[in-house]
């Protein structure tokens, strides 16, 4: 699809990967980018429209769908990390991770499906993780695996309406989410460049880094090798 002249929604678009997506989309020629935050800050760029959004709140999602009813691209980026311990974490804590990372993204997909379906060449982008595919990341990994599966179902359902669905997998990127982890990280700008390329090429999946590509290859191997130490 053509990013030039497009209108885009980036959930969580004011910091971390979301801010990098916003910059890269504007550099690629997007005309307007709606960026959300739970407490949005004003922008001095007239192409950037900040909106308040909490993806766990249906009324908030509906209000954003009303305000951004002209978008060609939606990037489901908002997400939180979560506890890795499955046996010792209260289920209610894991439900909070799912409510943001899984059902938050689904609320956005449901609210924006009619908006996107009315456009000529629309795309929904879901941000997964390499942790969708490996054990060791508890509720966070499980939430990304669930979102991956939902994206695969959305791709089938939205194809009838002409909407492309792009799933994005990556290892660690250098944002607030990973600040406590001392490990190699890709830059948010590199993640954003890969996603912009994927949108332009109508890709169904982007494997941003070497770790995502090699873990995807390993899915056909022994399941006990699909492990991460965090
Ligand atoms: N960083 C990595 O290594 C990495 C790797 C793989 C996948 N990812 C995924 O990439 C996405 C962005 O991650 P990041 O690293 O940029 O994280 P981050 O720096 O922690 O930023 C998280 C973003 O999500 C938004 N958000 C969180 N809860 C929300 C809610 N209930 N409603 C609306 N927005 C909410 C935040 O908005 P506020 O401004 O309102 O807080 C913020 O913009 C996430 O889905 C994450 O799981 C990240």
């Amino acid at each position: 699809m053509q990013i030039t002249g497009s209108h885009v929604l980036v959930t969580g678009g004011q910091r971390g990967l979301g801010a990098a997506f916003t910059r890269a989309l504007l550099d690629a020629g997007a005309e307007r980018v709606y960026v959300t935050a739970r407490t949005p800050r004003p922008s001095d760029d007239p192409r950037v429209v900040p909106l308040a959004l909490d993806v766990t709140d249906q009324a908030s999602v509906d209000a954003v769908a009303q305000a951004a009813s002209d978008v060609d691209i939606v990037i489901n980026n908002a997400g939180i990390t979560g506890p890795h311990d499955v046996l010792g974490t209260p289920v209610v804590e894991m439900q909070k991770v799912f409510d943001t990372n899984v059902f938050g993204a689904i609320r956005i997909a449901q609210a924006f499906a009619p908006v996107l379906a009315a456009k000529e060449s629309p795309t929904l982008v879901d941000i997964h993780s390499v942790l969708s595919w490996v054990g060791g990341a508890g509720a966070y990994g499980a939430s990304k695996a669930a979102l991956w599966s939902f994206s695969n179902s959305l791709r089938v359902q939205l194809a009838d309406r002409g909407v492309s669905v792009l799933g994005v997998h990556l290892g660690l990127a250098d944002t607030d989410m990973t600040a406590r982890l001392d490990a190699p990280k890709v830059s948010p700008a590199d993640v954003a460049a890969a996603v912009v390329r994927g949108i332009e090429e109508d890709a169904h999946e982007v494997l941003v880094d070497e770790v995502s590509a090699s873990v995807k290859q390993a899915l056909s191997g022994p399941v006990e090798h699909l492990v991460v130490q965090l």
Side-chain angles (χ1 to χ4, degrees):
M1 82 164 291
Q2 274 260 359
I3 291 179
T4 307
S6 64
H7 294 182
V8 188
L9 171 76
V10 183
T11 67
Q14 286 204 312
R15 61 190 183 91
L17 291 182
F21 295 145
T22 300
R23 272 191 299 276
L25 287 157
L26 290 169
D27 289 348
E31 187 174 77
R32 180 177 304 155
V33 182
Y34 298 96
V35 293
T36 81
R38 282 164 290 186
T39 309
R41 297 182 310 278
S43 169
D44 49 19
D45 186 331
R47 299 169 298 172
V48 174
V49 183
L51 295 172
L53 173 68
D54 182 339
V55 295
T56 67
D57 175 354
Q58 186 65 51
S60 173
V61 170
D62 292 343
V64 166
Q66 287 260 326
S69 61
D70 58 352
V71 292
D72 310 271
I73 301 168
V74 170
I75 304 194
N76 246 332
N77 164 74
I80 55 172
T81 189
H84 300 150
D85 176 7
V86 178
L87 295 176
T89 302
V91 165
V92 69
E93 291 305 312
M94 302 198 210
Q95 283 172 328
K96 284 183 193 159
V97 178
F98 272 65
D99 201 21
T100 301
N101 294 1
V102 184
F103 298 113
I106 296 304
R107 287 184 194 98
I108 292 287
Q110 289 179 342
F112 279 90
V115 170
L116 292 173
K119 294 303 201 136
E120 202 165 310
S121 174
T123 302
L124 172 69
V125 181
D126 287 337
I127 307 300
H128 308 133
S129 166
V130 72
L131 300 177
S132 313
W133 292 325
V134 292
Y140 178 77
S143 74
K144 291 296 181 180
L147 180 58
W148 178 50
S149 178
F150 268 125
S151 299
N152 293 337
S153 291
L154 284 169
R155 185 173 298 112
V156 174
Q157 245 189 299
L158 287 171
D160 293 345
R161 306 200 206 174
V163 182
S164 205
V165 175
L166 168 61
V168 177
H169 291 266
L170 63 140
L172 293 178
D174 194 6
T175 67
D176 292 348
M177 185 176 277
T178 60
R180 69 179 180 83
L181 297 174
D182 183 17
K185 298 169 193 174
V186 288
S187 78
D190 285 350
V191 178
V195 170
V196 163
R197 240 184 346 266
I199 295 170
E200 286 174 334
E201 292 170 359
D202 290 322
H204 292 149
E205 186 170 74
V206 167
L207 306 175
V208 170
D209 44 16
E210 174 50 35
V211 67
S212 307
S214 63
V215 170
K216 181 137 197 230
Q217 288 278 325
L219 288 175
S220 58
V223 73
E224 65 273 20
H225 292 176
L226 297 171
V227 178
V228 68
Q229 299 294 340
L230 289 167

